[in-house]
Amino acid sequence: MIKLLRAALAAAILVATPAFAHNGVTHLGDINISLPFTRATLPNAPVAGGFLTIENIGTEPDRLVSVTSDIAGETQIHEMAMQGDVMKMRPLADGLEIPAGETVVLAPGGFHIMFMGLKQTLVEGETVAVTLTFEKAGSVEILLPVEAAAADAPTAMEHAH
Ligand SMILES: [Cu+2]
């Protein structure tokens, strides 16, 4: 009976938390998410960016279809693209494809998570929770450490080498 309860409990935990984190990498099915960060903002800043690295170790492409967060009125997935001579950002209406066996980096100047209608100041040293939803791998909550306003990468990465 206890064995059965344990098995049921283990199954329940598996269903509730399909993702697990190890050495700073969050595993969600064939998707590995690493190096999450965002950047400190001034008070009343209307927008902020979020950054992380997504690896697809599977044999099928997947797609980051949405990102949500309580810190913003709306959270979008953006790309930077040339419009004439000007670099502009625009939302990816169909999400961001993560090709099989490839790694897609969301970083300043490239793909990024965009917090629109920011509801709070982002303070260095705090963390921000976002929920990423993939077409195949499902959803996972990721904590983005808030780095300095000019950070290009999470400090944890710099400390690693
Ligand atoms: Cu943007």
Side-chain angles (χ1 to χ4, degrees):
M1 185 60 190
I2 288 172
K3 237 180 196 172
L4 199 66
L5 275 175
R6 276 208 194 117
L9 197 62
I13 290 168
L14 274 177
V15 169
T17 55
F20 65 100
H22 179 74
N23 282 347
V25 180
T26 300
H27 305 281
L28 178 72
D30 285 335
I31 296 292
N32 291 333
I33 299 152
S34 59
L35 303 174
F37 74 104
T38 181
R39 299 193 287 195
T41 65
L42 294 170
N44 301 318
V47 297
F51 313 100
L52 38 76
T53 296
I54 304 168
E55 179 187 19
N56 181 357
I57 59 168
T59 54
E60 302 264 318
D62 204 341
R63 183 171 287 274
L64 177 63
V65 287
S66 72
V67 182
T68 57
S69 178
D70 290 341
I71 68 161
E74 189 181 354
T75 304
Q76 301 178 339
I77 306 161
H78 280 189
E79 68 169 349
M80 303 292 290
M82 293 299 288
Q83 267 183 16
D85 295 338
V86 187
M87 191 69 138
K88 287 199 169 168
M89 59 182 164
R90 64 180 183 204
L92 291 171
D94 298 326
L96 177 59
E97 183 173 344
I98 317 295
E102 291 195 22
T103 297
V104 176
V105 178
L106 284 73
F111 296 120
H112 55 278
I113 295 164
M114 194 89 203
F115 302 111
M116 319 280 290
L118 203 56
K119 295 176 185 170
Q120 64 183 71
T121 305
L122 303 188
V123 178
E124 188 176 350
E126 296 186 352
T127 57
V128 164
V130 298
T131 299
L132 309 183
T133 300
F134 294 88
E135 200 171 71
K136 291 179 185 136
S139 295
V140 64
E141 185 180 90
I142 299 283
L143 293 177
L144 311 181
V146 181
E147 303 287 353
D152 285 328
T155 47
M157 188 171 71
E158 286 153 32
H159 292 165
H161 29 95

